[in-house]
Amino acid sequence: KLCEGILNILEKDTKTSCQVACLEALRILSRDKKVLVPVTTKRNMQILMRLAKLDTVEDPLERPSEFPVIVEALKCLCNIIFNSTVAQKLSLELNLAAMLCNLLEKCKDQQLVDDIKCFDLRLLFLLSLLHTDIRSQLRKELQGVQVLTQALESSLSVRWTEEYKAVEDRDRPPLSLQETDCAIEALKALFNVTLDSWNVHSENESRQFRYMAAILRHCLLTTGPTEDKTEELHSNAINLLSNVPVSCLDVLISPSSQEETDIKYNDMNMGAIQILLDFMEKRIDKGSSYREGLTPVLSLLTECCRTHRNIRKFIKAQVLPPLRDVSNRPEVGTTVRNKLVRLMTHVDLGVKQIAAEFLFVLCKERVDSLLKYTGYGNAAGLLAARGLLAGGRGNHWYSDDEDTDTEEYKSAKPNINLITGHLEEPMPNPMDEMTEEQKEYEAMKLVNMFDKLSRDELIKPMGVRPDGTMAPLEEAVSQYHTNKQDSSDSD
């Protein structure tokens, strides 16, 4: 009854202060799903849309006195659509997404509209998240990618020096809280609209994604009002970069001019890549929520390294520098390599796989190089999954840049334990003082123990096929015998 009473008042022309008070009350009530039935009708949705200036296509936003009403109406719509499937369906019928895009256009050159823009973007994010038809409508009919990209560019105040290269002003103050919130909402909405966009079909789409990637590079080099807000901004930028086709990610690096003092590699500005690496290490150090917080940035870095040689070489120089001290196991220590190797045996399968894949790509998918940096024990899961337990390399082609060993590594190499990946002192052989009968007894004892475990089906002995994949021991051995006979001379 209270909701209906409020909406009856809002339907009439009342004072702005009265409208704001009614909408604030409705916003609080709309958090409760049980009272949304009277609100989620076509008539009442249209009342809120009118108050949010969504039904006026031509009228510009001219009266700042109305802005608090617009903001409160948008907040109410956000709550209602988030909590009601009926409202989500009505949004499609009432063409709400198109009206929101139109309001966003009105906000483009206006002052004092940051709150309106922020909640407009939040509503577009919710609609694209909760209703797949609206997501499709935004992408195909409403030029949603272009509209949202322009909103993101505006929130970050991007200025261009040339195509795909924004001005880097080191003295620029951090973004305000409102600017940061607007940028975050635009990034989240763009993420939904660009899902499944890995396959670019046209030159125009490719240009659009490269333009977006250039804005995202600027976003990574931008700071927010607080450290937490900066991390949230960068996290959403990384999520969106994961949707950008990998062929368009070359704009993350650019030729470095003389006056720039950023991190360089091969005369390329690597500032954005360094931000990604620092972000990855910070997320590893958090020690929790790896699947949500760490896997997006690891996946992004893996694809960048797989496709772009300069990025791979720059990252490898930091993550896998030439080995000098091999006295400790690869997973022991505080370097980025140590932290990533520890993740290779993480309990979460997804985290384990992406960490191993990242290191494998840095090693140009060469098994011998990966084992050098991680040890066989840590890499066994990846090698078994990829059918590379017998050695070799992956399917992707990489440039033949040199990968030289240090003198320290070369001298230590003969004594490195291939399983653990570190230098071990030679251990005394316990069989040196045994007689031949004692050795035979211990060997048979071991065979009997394995036989019992196998017959009781507690373990299943496995072997490696000639192609590097795992198989039951009998099958693997028979395949080796077959291969050996086929390769022998017929004489």
Side-chain angles (χ1 to χ4, degrees):
K1 285 180 181 179
L2 181 56
C3 284
E4 287 173 336
I6 289 171
L7 286 160
N8 287 334
I9 295 170
L10 290 171
E11 194 174 14
K12 303 167 188 173
D13 288 328
T14 55
K15 291 181 181 179
T16 300
S17 58
C18 178
Q19 288 178 331
V20 171
C22 287
L23 287 167
E24 284 175 344
L26 186 62
R27 168 166 56 86
I28 295 167
L29 290 166
S30 63
R31 296 170 186 164
D32 185 352
K33 295 181 182 181
K34 295 174 185 175
V35 302
L36 283 178
V37 175
V39 182
T40 52
T41 64
K42 193 171 183 179
R43 165 186 164 271
N44 290 336
M45 289 281 286
Q46 285 173 326
I47 292 171
L48 292 171
M49 287 165 65
R50 177 177 58 79
L51 292 168
K53 297 295 180 187
L54 293 172
D55 61 339
T56 52
V57 177
E58 301 298 333
D59 296 348
L61 299 171
E62 291 180 338
R63 289 187 286 181
S65 61
E66 292 181 338
F67 290 177
V69 176
I70 298 171
V71 171
E72 284 300 326
L74 287 170
K75 287 179 180 178
C76 287
L77 285 168
C78 284
N79 282 356
I80 292 163
I81 285 167
F82 180 72
N83 286 315
S84 170
T85 53
V86 176
Q88 291 159 27
K89 291 172 184 173
L90 278 172
S91 300
L92 186 61
E93 185 182 335
L94 294 168
N95 207 16
L96 180 56
M99 295 179 182
L100 288 166
C101 288
N102 182 56
L103 181 60
L104 209 52
E105 288 290 326
K106 292 180 190 177
C107 293
K108 192 184 294 182
D109 302 316
Q110 291 282 333
Q111 299 295 318
L112 308 172
V113 293
D114 280 346
D115 278 343
I116 296 174
K117 183 178 172 183
C118 186
F119 287 103
D120 186 315
L121 289 165
R122 183 169 296 178
L123 199 43
L124 280 170
F125 160 67
L126 289 171
L127 287 170
S128 59
L129 172 71
L130 299 167
H131 206 302
T132 52
D133 289 341
I134 293 178
R135 186 189 307 164
S136 178
Q137 182 192 21
L138 276 166
R139 184 167 57 238
K140 296 174 183 175
E141 299 172 23
L142 302 175
Q143 295 183 311
V145 175
Q146 184 178 337
V147 171
L148 291 166
T149 303
Q150 287 173 352
L152 176 62
E153 182 183 355
S154 169
S155 300
L156 297 169
S157 302
V158 182
R159 292 180 294 118
W160 302 97
T161 57
E162 55 187 82
E163 189 178 30
Y164 308 134
K165 187 171 182 181
V167 175
E168 293 182 30
D169 184 2
R170 292 177 185 79
D171 299 323
R172 181 188 169 186
L175 294 176
S176 69
L177 183 60
Q178 280 185 320
E179 288 172 330
T180 308
D181 284 339
C182 278
I184 288 169
E185 295 301 333
L187 289 166
K188 285 156 59 178
L190 269 170
F191 177 82
N192 290 339
V193 175
T194 56
L195 277 172
D196 308 320
S197 60
W198 58 272
N199 192 8
V200 172
H201 296 289
S202 67
E203 183 66 28
N204 184 48
E205 278 185 306
S206 177
R207 200 161 42 244
Q208 196 171 53
F209 277 112
R210 290 171 74 82
Y211 175 61
M212 186 194 298
I215 295 172
L216 292 173
R217 178 184 183 277
H218 179 80
C219 185
L220 289 172
L221 297 171
T222 302
T223 56
T226 65
E227 190 175 337
D228 286 345
K229 273 294 174 185
T230 301
E231 186 174 342
E232 187 182 355
L233 178 69
H234 289 174
S235 177
N236 282 289
I238 288 164
N239 290 342
L240 180 53
L241 276 169
S242 301
N243 285 353
V244 174
V246 71
S247 59
C248 303
L249 292 176
D250 57 331
V251 298
L252 290 177
I253 59 176
S254 60
S256 184
S257 57
Q258 292 299 318
E259 65 272 12
E260 287 178 342
T261 57
D262 282 324
I263 298 157
K264 300 177 186 178
Y265 186 84
N266 281 354
D267 292 325
M268 302 296 283
N269 187 329
M270 293 287 178
I273 304 301
Q274 186 62 55
I275 296 287
L276 292 175
L277 278 172
D278 293 342
F279 183 91
M280 176 196 73
E281 188 170 9
K282 189 184 291 185
R283 285 293 170 94
I284 293 175
D285 291 341
K286 272 193 172 181
S288 61
S289 302
Y290 282 148
R291 183 174 283 273
E292 298 81 14
L294 178 62
T295 53
V297 67
L298 267 178
S299 299
L300 175 64
L301 287 171
T302 302
E303 290 308 313
C304 285
C305 292
R306 185 174 275 134
T307 310
H308 303 291
R309 177 173 177 261
N310 277 322
I311 295 177
R312 187 188 78 246
K313 292 185 75 175
F314 171 74
I315 291 176
K316 185 177 180 183
Q318 297 196 60
V319 176
L320 298 178
L323 286 175
R324 298 184 186 282
D325 181 12
V326 286
S327 58
N328 291 321
R329 290 172 178 253
E331 66 270 22
V332 175
T334 57
T335 66
V336 184
R337 174 178 77 109
N338 302 143
K339 295 171 184 178
L340 285 166
V341 172
R342 283 198 288 273
L343 290 178
M344 293 176 77
T345 53
H346 195 269
V347 292
D348 188 305
L349 186 62
V351 174
K352 177 167 68 174
Q353 286 175 339
I354 192 60
E357 187 75 14
F358 176 52
L359 291 173
F360 194 42
V361 169
L362 287 183
C363 295
K364 296 188 288 186
E365 300 195 18
R366 284 169 35 199
V367 172
D368 57 342
S369 181
L370 179 69
L371 297 181
K372 181 174 81 174
Y373 287 105
T374 68
Y376 199 91
N378 292 312
L382 173 79
L383 301 181
R386 297 284 291 268
L388 293 170
L389 285 168
R393 64 184 304 164
N395 299 323
H396 289 84
W397 179 88
Y398 294 86
S399 60
D400 293 328
D401 44 289
E402 57 193 35
D403 185 20
T404 55
D405 291 332
T406 62
E407 291 301 322
E408 295 93 330
Y409 179 78
K410 285 178 181 176
S411 61
K413 191 174 180 180
N415 296 318
I416 291 176
N417 185 322
L418 295 177
I419 302 299
T420 60
H422 81 299
L423 186 66
E424 290 185 352
E425 294 297 325
M427 298 289 289
N429 189 343
M431 299 183 75
D432 283 346
E433 298 179 3
M434 287 187 183
T435 64
E436 290 301 319
E437 290 80 5
Q438 287 175 317
K439 291 178 185 177
E440 186 176 345
Y441 172 77
E442 292 295 336
M444 289 307 300
K445 185 177 174 183
L446 189 61
V447 167
N448 290 333
M449 288 166 65
F450 272 113
D451 181 55
K452 186 176 187 307
L453 288 169
S454 179
R455 279 189 283 104
D456 293 343
E457 297 186 353
L458 294 173
I459 64 167
K460 187 172 186 179
M462 304 290 283
V464 182
R465 293 192 186 102
D467 64 0
T469 58
M470 297 286 287
L473 189 59
E474 300 85 357
E475 183 183 330
V477 170
S478 67
Q479 282 199 13
Y480 269 108
H481 285 317
T482 304
N483 286 357
K484 191 173 180 181
Q485 289 170 5
D486 290 345
S487 63
S488 63
D489 294 330
S490 56
D491 292 343

